[in-house]
Amino acid sequence: MQIRTFDQYQAAYQHSIEDPEGFWAEIAQEFVWRKPWKKTLQWNFDEPSVQWFIGGKLNITENCLDRHLAERGDQPAIIWEPNDPHEAGVTLTYRMLHDQVCRMANVLKRNGVTKGDRVCIYMPMVPELAIAVLACARIGAVHSVVFGGFSAQSIADRINDAQCKVVVTADGAYRGNKEIALKETVDDALIACPSVQKVIVLTRTRTPVSMIKGRDVWMEQELKLVTADCPAEEMDAEDMLFILYTSGSTGKPKGVVHTCGGYMVYTAYTFQNVFQYEPGQIHFCTADIGWITGHSYIVYGPLACGATTLLFEGVPTWPDCGRFWDIVDKYKIDILYTAPTAIRSLMGFGLEKVENHDLSSLKVLGSVGEPINEEAWHWYDDHIGKNRCPIVDTWWQTETGGIMISPIAGVTKTKPTYATLPLPGVQPVLVDENGKEIAGNGVSGNLCIKFPWPSIIRTTYGDHERCRQTYFSTYKGLYFTGDGCLRDEDGYYRITGRVDDVLNVSGHRIGTAEVENAINMHTGVVESAVVGYPHDIKGQGIYAYVIAEQMPEDHDAELTKRDILATVSRVIGPIAKPDKIQFVSGLPKTRSGKIMRRILRKIAEGDTANLGDTTTLLDPGVVDEIKAGALVEAKA
Ligand code: WTA
């Protein structure tokens, strides 16, 4: 399944288009199946209904763990680097990881978890997080990992949506010089979560925590009560593997569902090829397992390929801005996979902390999560890769499960800011507003995919209609990504950013509607409108226009802003806090009451000269007031 040359890429691509089923069946055969599948693919994008490897039986952990034991049982599977560089790290060989996953799986069983039950995981970036994820998969429970930065309210929403039976968490988390009380946040969440019967708590920070009798148990004590014998549950290829919540343009985050067979095949195939992983190499993906990048390229993809994956608990800037380079040097990392926002923030610190580390072990650099700007691309190439490591700018989404458009390291000729070419099996099309395909090169449009790949989203948990509406109804017969894209003269793809009301802040997806709802929870707020604006480090910043019951002034305005930020933190989490808040007396609305975000976006960008047509507005005067206010804001 390994592509080594551009000719091989082209041949594989051709094969994948002409005979998708044959192409993927050949790749899938390299894995361990309890029972072979009867039919490779059945699909329609109208319902939508997509099934891969129909009738096939497997357990993904047998592929990620058991099958490696004979050949590489003593090879490191997970290397863990703690937040504090002075604390000892942990290396788990495949044998040790297998043992620990089985034990944890038995702990879940002891606490009532059976096949099909949902388990919420809210943990720091410690080995036990990866172990808990795999333990769920071992027994056929569905994990729903919630990023450790989300609020109690967000956890509760996710737990209730999925009706989770058990929560796995820790007393607290270390992030840089901060200590975060995870269990306390879970306790707050659980006040409103009747489905939860047990909470399994790992000791990490020794922060004092409440332990409720009958509900809360210590992971360490539970582990003493089980053996390491836990046969893997036999799963259907299309059984649910996990739910991961992600933001969209409307309302509450939705639970993206991935299934066992297709997700395994696709993440392994893309990991192996995009990064050109060689046995013995160490892969360092800096994402958090709370996001899809961590699921696919810290846990499942690398382990399915028998790779060594590094898990880092901390942040890039603590104890200083050389932390990534320190880790690369210390472990002799081969592949580094990070986000443009991290690169841009580290660029700002200069080269001193880069140059005093040996980065010569690096072979491939990856970028993910947001468009990478030219300056960051070159800095990454020059100073980290020393112009000898290919950069793979990987475009994909929570819904796609794995990388879709990306160079293959050392195989595809790269071009700064371009995700370049679709991987085998991926059939992108650009369409105009009416869904008409835009053919040829040197064009741009809305990015859609016209044929299923093995790890395509299957449904949104508990609400299939929402899945259909969001992804398959905008353009008939196509999966719509929500991204704008151009295809240049060479047929290379460049993702230009979201075309819907989803923001990408530091690589995190946040819906404008979600932030507005949170702001509107503040007692003094009547209405709000949130847009993104270009931000040097975060990629996009959050700009909120707020109508308050009484227009606050001076000191009062500052206090109200502070409270609005606290409200958003409480409702969603600190990542969704607006960077700028401007109080306004009205919002630019059409006669039918729709907020004209285009105008608000322009003003937030500081581009007030070309607001376009404002004559259809109910009250055009409000625009001048907002413009004037924005100038004051910009100077502040
Ligand atoms: C954006 C993250 C440009 C895009 C894996 C997409 C990118 C959203 C890139 C998905 C890239 C991701 N270049 N934009 N290489 N990768 N995006 O679900 O807007 O957190 O729709 O998945 O991030 O974000 P998500």
Side-chain angles (χ1 to χ4, degrees):
M1 77 181 186
Q2 183 107 8
I3 292 165
R4 298 280 184 193
T5 65
F6 195 67
D7 284 345
Q8 286 172 1
Y9 159 71
Q10 284 181 312
Y13 192 78
Q14 202 56 32
H15 180 193
S16 78
I17 302 300
E18 284 163 7
D19 176 20
E21 297 189 35
F23 176 80
W24 286 112
E26 216 171 273
I27 291 162
Q29 265 153 23
E30 296 180 31
F31 296 86
V32 176
W33 296 82
R34 294 262 186 100
K35 269 198 208 115
W37 57 94
K38 297 193 189 75
K39 188 165 170 21
T40 307
L41 169 66
Q42 194 164 317
W43 71 289
N44 76 69
F45 276 177
D46 296 326
E47 288 178 54
S49 161
V50 180
Q51 291 171 280
W52 282 93
F53 313 116
I54 300 161
K57 306 282 179 197
L58 78 161
N59 187 291
I60 196 168
T61 69
E62 283 188 332
N63 285 277
C64 289
L65 302 170
D66 305 57
R67 75 161 170 155
H68 301 310
L69 294 182
E71 206 183 312
R72 51 174 73 94
D74 297 320
Q75 177 204 299
I78 292 179
I79 298 176
W80 177 63
E81 167 74 5
N83 179 62
D84 182 345
H86 302 298
E87 187 184 337
V90 168
T91 296
L92 296 176
T93 63
Y94 271 94
R95 203 176 314 285
M96 291 154 86
L97 183 61
H98 177 266
D99 178 278
Q100 295 204 19
V101 167
C102 289
R103 287 177 192 276
M104 185 62 203
N106 283 333
V107 167
L108 291 173
K109 281 199 216 162
R110 254 182 65 78
N111 284 279
V113 180
T114 56
K115 181 174 177 176
D117 286 342
R118 278 79 56 211
V119 175
C120 172
I121 303 177
Y122 184 72
M123 288 184 86
M125 278 286 283
V126 291
E128 290 80 359
L129 166 52
I131 291 166
V133 162
L134 292 163
C136 288
R138 186 87 180 163
I139 60 172
V142 176
H143 54 80
S144 165
V145 184
V146 177
F147 172 62
F150 278 117
S151 66
Q153 177 72 56
S154 299
I155 301 170
D157 288 345
R158 286 159 172 77
I159 288 177
N160 289 332
D161 187 76
Q163 290 292 296
C164 296
K165 194 175 192 180
V166 165
V167 178
V168 183
T169 188
D171 49 359
Y174 296 118
R175 296 206 89 210
N177 56 10
K178 285 197 227 118
E179 213 179 291
I180 300 156
L182 294 184
K183 174 63 165 57
E184 194 180 304
T185 306
V186 168
D187 286 338
D188 288 346
L190 293 190
I191 292 170
C193 299
S195 64
V196 173
Q197 295 170 6
K198 284 284 169 67
V199 181
I200 301 169
V201 187
L202 169 80
T203 310
R204 174 66 186 123
T205 55
R206 305 208 160 268
T207 321
V209 292
S210 74
M211 291 294 285
I212 305 297
K213 190 182 292 168
R215 187 193 74 182
D216 300 351
V217 295
W218 290 108
M219 189 186 291
E220 293 80 354
Q221 285 177 8
E222 290 293 303
L223 282 166
K224 286 191 193 129
L225 305 172
V226 295
T227 69
D229 180 25
C230 180
E233 187 77 31
E234 183 171 293
M235 305 294 285
D236 190 89
E238 284 296 332
D239 276 341
M240 219 179 280
L241 174 63
F242 66 84
I243 307 170
L244 186 56
Y245 285 83
T246 191
S247 295
S249 46
T250 50
K252 284 191 173 168
K254 45 190 171 289
V256 172
V257 169
H258 284 291
T259 56
C260 297
Y263 177 82
M264 172 185 77
V265 170
Y266 196 79
T267 51
Y269 178 76
T270 50
F271 172 75
Q272 183 73 51
N273 280 289
V274 169
F275 301 104
Q276 291 286 301
Y277 182 83
E278 298 286 345
Q281 290 189 337
I282 304 177
H283 173 76
F284 174 22
C285 169
T286 70
D288 191 288
I289 293 176
W291 309 111
I292 191 70
T293 307
H295 280 60
S296 301
Y297 299 107
I298 295 178
V299 182
Y300 288 113
L303 296 177
C305 292
T308 300
T309 178
L310 187 131
L311 207 146
F312 172 43
E313 184 183 32
V315 296
T317 48
W318 192 83
D320 62 46
C321 62
R323 191 65 195 279
F324 279 179
W325 323 130
D326 189 46
I327 295 172
V328 169
D329 193 353
K330 178 170 169 191
Y331 297 99
K332 304 297 167 213
I333 299 293
D334 297 274
I335 303 164
L336 175 66
Y337 190 29
T338 193
T341 189
I343 300 168
R344 286 190 300 264
S345 94
L346 295 175
M347 273 165 70
F349 292 101
L351 290 173
E352 189 199 336
K353 288 279 187 281
V354 177
E355 284 167 354
N356 64 0
H357 290 103
D358 176 10
L359 306 183
S360 63
S361 59
L362 287 172
K363 291 171 191 70
V364 173
L365 303 178
S367 172
V368 60
E370 45 172 329
I372 180 165
N373 51 308
E374 187 132 13
E375 200 191 350
W377 197 99
H378 282 295
W379 189 86
Y380 202 24
D381 187 35
D382 293 345
H383 302 294
I384 307 306
K386 320 282 180 196
N387 301 114
R388 46 169 199 79
C389 302
I391 295 180
V392 291
D393 177 1
T394 63
W395 173 83
W396 56 296
Q397 310 178 295
T398 305
E399 295 86 344
T400 70
I403 299 170
M404 300 287 283
I405 304 182
S406 168
I408 292 178
V411 168
T412 315
K413 202 164 161 290
T414 59
K415 192 187 277 191
T417 76
Y418 281 78
T420 75
L421 298 171
L423 295 180
V426 176
Q427 303 189 30
V429 287
L430 302 184
V431 300
D432 66 15
E433 292 306 313
N434 304 316
K436 196 170 164 305
E437 182 168 346
I438 305 169
N441 289 340
V443 294
S444 57
N446 295 329
L447 178 61
C448 296
I449 316 286
K450 68 176 176 198
F451 196 87
W453 60 99
S455 63
I456 186 175
I457 178 176
R458 296 305 196 270
T459 189
T460 45
Y461 191 81
D463 191 352
H464 192 62
E465 173 58 14
R466 191 162 175 208
C467 171
R468 193 188 66 78
Q469 284 267 343
T470 312
Y471 307 104
F472 298 91
S473 72
T474 318
Y475 304 113
K476 199 176 158 29
L478 300 174
Y479 165 81
F480 177 43
T481 64
D483 280 317
C485 179
L486 68 81
R487 184 167 54 217
D488 75 359
E489 296 301 340
D490 300 326
Y492 269 34
Y493 290 83
R494 177 188 187 181
I495 313 304
T496 46
R498 302 288 302 196
V499 293
D500 53 8
D501 292 319
V502 173
L503 306 179
N504 193 324
V505 181
S506 300
H508 300 152
R509 258 169 86 165
I510 300 171
T512 53
E514 249 179 289
V515 183
E516 287 164 5
N517 290 343
I519 293 173
N520 297 348
M521 304 262 293
H522 184 275
T523 43
V525 172
V526 177
E527 197 184 357
S528 62
V530 164
V531 296
Y533 70 99
H535 187 287
D536 284 348
I537 291 175
K538 299 177 172 185
Q540 271 189 311
I542 303 179
Y543 199 116
Y545 298 91
V546 175
I547 304 177
E549 264 170 27
Q550 271 171 350
M551 179 71 99
E553 278 173 21
D554 304 330
H555 186 56
D556 236 20
E558 291 318 305
L559 290 180
T560 310
K561 283 183 188 177
R562 204 193 55 187
D563 292 346
I564 289 174
L565 293 182
T567 309
V568 174
S569 268
R570 172 65 66 181
V571 178
I572 307 175
I575 55 170
K577 282 197 294 195
D579 299 276
K580 288 187 182 171
I581 295 174
Q582 180 185 342
F583 291 108
V584 296
S585 66
L587 292 166
K589 287 189 181 169
T590 60
R591 293 203 173 86
S592 60
K594 221 178 137 225
I595 297 173
M596 288 191 73
R597 288 168 189 283
R598 177 177 57 80
I599 294 175
L600 293 176
R601 238 177 262 134
K602 288 259 182 199
I603 296 174
E605 286 165 10
D607 179 14
T608 51
N610 315 299
L611 293 183
D613 186 13
T614 56
T615 53
T616 57
L617 289 180
L618 196 58
D619 173 14
V622 79
V623 174
D624 289 326
E625 181 217 302
I626 296 177
K627 271 186 351 192
L631 282 177
V632 176
E633 218 31 66
K635 288 202 192 94

